[in-house]
PDB file of all heavy atoms in Angstrom:
ATOM      1  N   THR A   2       0.649   2.172  -0.926  1.00 85.00           N
ATOM      2  CA  THR A   2       1.394   3.408  -1.032  1.00 85.00           C
ATOM      3  C   THR A   2       0.566   4.583  -0.373  1.00 85.00           C
ATOM      4  O   THR A   2      -0.590   4.794  -0.808  1.00 85.00           O
ATOM      5  CB  THR A   2       1.623   3.710  -2.532  1.00 85.00           C
ATOM      6  OG1 THR A   2       2.390   2.742  -3.149  1.00 85.00           O
ATOM      7  CG2 THR A   2       2.456   5.026  -2.585  1.00 85.00           C
ATOM      8  N   LEU A   3       1.173   5.142   0.667  1.00 89.00           N
ATOM      9  CA  LEU A   3       0.559   6.203   1.330  1.00 89.00           C
ATOM     10  C   LEU A   3       0.872   7.567   0.648  1.00 89.00           C
ATOM     11  O   LEU A   3       1.998   7.715   0.135  1.00 89.00           O
ATOM     12  CB  LEU A   3       1.003   6.238   2.789  1.00 89.00           C
ATOM     13  CG  LEU A   3       0.593   5.067   3.660  1.00 89.00           C
ATOM     14  CD1 LEU A   3       1.174   5.125   5.046  1.00 89.00           C
ATOM     15  CD2 LEU A   3      -0.993   5.041   3.761  1.00 89.00           C
ATOM     16  N   PRO A   4       0.090   8.547   0.711  1.00 92.00           N
ATOM     17  CA  PRO A   4       0.379   9.891   0.213  1.00 92.00           C
ATOM     18  C   PRO A   4       1.443  10.557   1.117  1.00 92.00           C
ATOM     19  O   PRO A   4       1.602  10.091   2.244  1.00 92.00           O
ATOM     20  CB  PRO A   4      -0.965  10.586   0.298  1.00 92.00           C
ATOM     21  CG  PRO A   4      -1.745   9.963   1.373  1.00 92.00           C
ATOM     22  CD  PRO A   4      -1.347   8.526   1.271  1.00 92.00           C
ATOM     23  N   GLN A   5       2.111  11.470   0.512  1.00 93.00           N
ATOM     24  CA  GLN A   5       3.155  12.223   1.327  1.00 93.00           C
ATOM     25  C   GLN A   5       3.079  13.660   0.841  1.00 93.00           C
ATOM     26  O   GLN A   5       2.906  13.951  -0.242  1.00 93.00           O
ATOM     27  CB  GLN A   5       4.520  11.620   1.160  1.00 93.00           C
ATOM     28  CG  GLN A   5       5.081  11.701  -0.294  1.00 93.00           C
ATOM     29  CD  GLN A   5       6.526  11.228  -0.253  1.00 93.00           C
ATOM     30  OE1 GLN A   5       6.950  10.381   0.512  1.00 93.00           O
ATOM     31  NE2 GLN A   5       7.229  11.607  -1.352  1.00 93.00           N
ATOM     32  N   PRO A   6       3.452  14.584   1.783  1.00 92.00           N
ATOM     33  CA  PRO A   6       3.637  15.963   1.394  1.00 92.00           C
ATOM     34  C   PRO A   6       4.825  16.095   0.496  1.00 92.00           C
ATOM     35  O   PRO A   6       5.610  15.212   0.306  1.00 92.00           O
ATOM     36  CB  PRO A   6       3.894  16.773   2.736  1.00 92.00           C
ATOM     37  CG  PRO A   6       3.429  15.722   3.770  1.00 92.00           C
ATOM     38  CD  PRO A   6       3.642  14.358   3.211  1.00 92.00           C
ATOM     39  N   ARG A   7       4.862  17.314  -0.078  1.00 91.00           N
ATOM     40  CA  ARG A   7       6.093  17.595  -1.025  1.00 91.00           C
ATOM     41  C   ARG A   7       7.374  17.529  -0.300  1.00 91.00           C
ATOM     42  O   ARG A   7       7.432  17.883   0.835  1.00 91.00           O
ATOM     43  CB  ARG A   7       5.897  19.007  -1.717  1.00 91.00           C
ATOM     44  CG  ARG A   7       5.827  20.184  -0.731  1.00 91.00           C
ATOM     45  CD  ARG A   7       5.565  21.503  -1.406  1.00 91.00           C
ATOM     46  NE  ARG A   7       5.366  22.555  -0.393  1.00 91.00           N
ATOM     47  CZ  ARG A   7       6.429  23.210   0.251  1.00 91.00           C
ATOM     48  NH1 ARG A   7       7.669  22.849  -0.069  1.00 91.00           N
ATOM     49  NH2 ARG A   7       6.147  24.140   1.118  1.00 91.00           N
ATOM     50  N   THR A   8       8.328  17.086  -0.985  1.00 90.00           N
ATOM     51  CA  THR A   8       9.632  16.860  -0.429  1.00 90.00           C
ATOM     52  C   THR A   8      10.696  17.837  -0.956  1.00 90.00           C
ATOM     53  O   THR A   8      10.472  18.494  -1.921  1.00 90.00           O
ATOM     54  CB  THR A   8      10.179  15.390  -0.595  1.00 90.00           C
ATOM     55  OG1 THR A   8      10.262  15.262  -2.033  1.00 90.00           O
ATOM     56  CG2 THR A   8       9.242  14.405  -0.087  1.00 90.00           C
ATOM     57  N   ALA A   9      11.764  17.925  -0.234  1.00 85.00           N
ATOM     58  CA  ALA A   9      12.895  18.838  -0.723  1.00 85.00           C
ATOM     59  C   ALA A   9      13.871  17.841  -1.288  1.00 85.00           C
ATOM     60  O   ALA A   9      14.149  16.676  -0.797  1.00 85.00           O
ATOM     61  CB  ALA A   9      13.542  19.607   0.453  1.00 85.00           C
ATOM     62  N   TYR A  10      14.478  18.264  -2.412  1.00 85.00           N
ATOM     63  CA  TYR A  10      15.419  17.413  -3.142  1.00 85.00           C
ATOM     64  C   TYR A  10      16.572  16.879  -2.248  1.00 85.00           C
ATOM     65  O   TYR A  10      17.260  17.682  -1.551  1.00 85.00           O
ATOM     66  CB  TYR A  10      16.017  18.102  -4.321  1.00 85.00           C
ATOM     67  CG  TYR A  10      16.941  17.286  -5.129  1.00 85.00           C
ATOM     68  CD1 TYR A  10      16.581  16.261  -6.034  1.00 85.00           C
ATOM     69  CD2 TYR A  10      18.381  17.474  -5.037  1.00 85.00           C
ATOM     70  CE1 TYR A  10      17.416  15.464  -6.719  1.00 85.00           C
ATOM     71  CE2 TYR A  10      19.280  16.720  -5.750  1.00 85.00           C
ATOM     72  CZ  TYR A  10      18.769  15.738  -6.543  1.00 85.00           C
ATOM     73  OH  TYR A  10      19.584  14.982  -7.284  1.00 85.00           O
ATOM     74  N   GLY A  11      16.733  15.613  -2.121  1.00 84.00           N
ATOM     75  CA  GLY A  11      17.899  14.978  -1.422  1.00 84.00           C
ATOM     76  C   GLY A  11      17.724  14.764   0.029  1.00 84.00           C
ATOM     77  O   GLY A  11      18.447  13.948   0.652  1.00 84.00           O
ATOM     78  N   VAL A  12      16.800  15.552   0.720  1.00 87.00           N
ATOM     79  CA  VAL A  12      16.594  15.359   2.146  1.00 87.00           C
ATOM     80  C   VAL A  12      15.203  14.912   2.494  1.00 87.00           C
ATOM     81  O   VAL A  12      14.938  14.934   3.678  1.00 87.00           O
ATOM     82  CB  VAL A  12      17.014  16.692   2.835  1.00 87.00           C
ATOM     83  CG1 VAL A  12      18.498  17.009   2.580  1.00 87.00           C
ATOM     84  CG2 VAL A  12      16.174  17.838   2.310  1.00 87.00           C
ATOM     85  N   GLY A  13      14.329  14.646   1.614  1.00 90.00           N
ATOM     86  CA  GLY A  13      12.940  14.283   1.941  1.00 90.00           C
ATOM     87  C   GLY A  13      12.184  15.337   2.659  1.00 90.00           C
ATOM     88  O   GLY A  13      12.150  16.450   2.150  1.00 90.00           O
ATOM     89  N   HIS A  14      11.817  15.032   3.798  1.00 90.00           N
ATOM     90  CA  HIS A  14      11.086  16.084   4.606  1.00 90.00           C
ATOM     91  C   HIS A  14      11.925  16.567   5.824  1.00 90.00           C
ATOM     92  O   HIS A  14      11.291  17.329   6.637  1.00 90.00           O
ATOM     93  CB  HIS A  14       9.747  15.373   5.181  1.00 90.00           C
ATOM     94  CG  HIS A  14       8.806  14.925   4.143  1.00 90.00           C
ATOM     95  ND1 HIS A  14       8.559  13.617   3.816  1.00 90.00           N
ATOM     96  CD2 HIS A  14       7.964  15.657   3.295  1.00 90.00           C
ATOM     97  CE1 HIS A  14       7.642  13.575   2.779  1.00 90.00           C
ATOM     98  NE2 HIS A  14       7.262  14.840   2.575  1.00 90.00           N
ATOM     99  N   ILE A  15      13.184  16.247   5.917  1.00 86.00           N
ATOM    100  CA  ILE A  15      13.901  16.565   7.085  1.00 86.00           C
ATOM    101  C   ILE A  15      13.987  18.065   7.259  1.00 86.00           C
ATOM    102  O   ILE A  15      13.850  18.566   8.354  1.00 86.00           O
ATOM    103  CB  ILE A  15      15.272  15.978   7.000  1.00 86.00           C
ATOM    104  CG1 ILE A  15      15.188  14.458   7.135  1.00 86.00           C
ATOM    105  CG2 ILE A  15      16.161  16.605   8.061  1.00 86.00           C
ATOM    106  CD1 ILE A  15      16.526  13.793   6.963  1.00 86.00           C
ATOM    107  N   SER A  16      14.321  18.847   6.144  1.00 85.00           N
ATOM    108  CA  SER A  16      14.450  20.313   6.306  1.00 85.00           C
ATOM    109  C   SER A  16      13.075  20.978   6.690  1.00 85.00           C
ATOM    110  O   SER A  16      13.112  21.845   7.553  1.00 85.00           O
ATOM    111  CB  SER A  16      14.953  20.892   5.028  1.00 85.00           C
ATOM    112  OG  SER A  16      14.056  20.601   3.983  1.00 85.00           O
ATOM    113  N   ARG A  17      12.051  20.522   6.153  1.00 87.00           N
ATOM    114  CA  ARG A  17      10.673  21.023   6.486  1.00 87.00           C
ATOM    115  C   ARG A  17      10.322  20.693   7.905  1.00 87.00           C
ATOM    116  O   ARG A  17       9.751  21.498   8.635  1.00 87.00           O
ATOM    117  CB  ARG A  17       9.677  20.545   5.581  1.00 87.00           C
ATOM    118  CG  ARG A  17       9.867  21.021   4.070  1.00 87.00           C
ATOM    119  CD  ARG A  17       8.710  20.626   3.278  1.00 87.00           C
ATOM    120  NE  ARG A  17       7.443  21.345   3.576  1.00 87.00           N
ATOM    121  CZ  ARG A  17       6.205  20.945   3.185  1.00 87.00           C
ATOM    122  NH1 ARG A  17       6.088  19.904   2.398  1.00 87.00           N
ATOM    123  NH2 ARG A  17       5.238  21.633   3.604  1.00 87.00           N
ATOM    124  N   TRP A  18      10.633  19.441   8.396  1.00 84.00           N
ATOM    125  CA  TRP A  18      10.425  18.981   9.704  1.00 84.00           C
ATOM    126  C   TRP A  18      11.139  19.939  10.740  1.00 84.00           C
ATOM    127  O   TRP A  18      10.613  20.236  11.788  1.00 84.00           O
ATOM    128  CB  TRP A  18      10.766  17.582   9.881  1.00 84.00           C
ATOM    129  CG  TRP A  18      10.401  16.962  11.251  1.00 84.00           C
ATOM    130  CD1 TRP A  18      11.323  16.841  12.229  1.00 84.00           C
ATOM    131  CD2 TRP A  18       9.195  16.421  11.631  1.00 84.00           C
ATOM    132  NE1 TRP A  18      10.650  16.243  13.388  1.00 84.00           N
ATOM    133  CE2 TRP A  18       9.334  16.056  13.058  1.00 84.00           C
ATOM    134  CE3 TRP A  18       7.917  16.398  11.094  1.00 84.00           C
ATOM    135  CZ2 TRP A  18       8.307  15.449  13.740  1.00 84.00           C
ATOM    136  CZ3 TRP A  18       6.868  15.728  11.820  1.00 84.00           C
ATOM    137  CH2 TRP A  18       7.176  15.341  13.105  1.00 84.00           C
ATOM    138  N   GLY A  19      12.294  20.312  10.362  1.00 79.00           N
ATOM    139  CA  GLY A  19      13.117  21.145  11.245  1.00 79.00           C
ATOM    140  C   GLY A  19      12.646  22.625  11.329  1.00 79.00           C
ATOM    141  O   GLY A  19      12.741  23.304  12.289  1.00 79.00           O
TER     142      GLY A  19
END
Side-chain angles (χ1 to χ4, degrees):
T2 301
L3 294 174
Q5 67 176 21
R7 59 185 174 83
T8 60
Y10 179 75
V12 295
H14 296 106
I15 292 177
S16 59
R17 297 186 63 196
W18 183 263

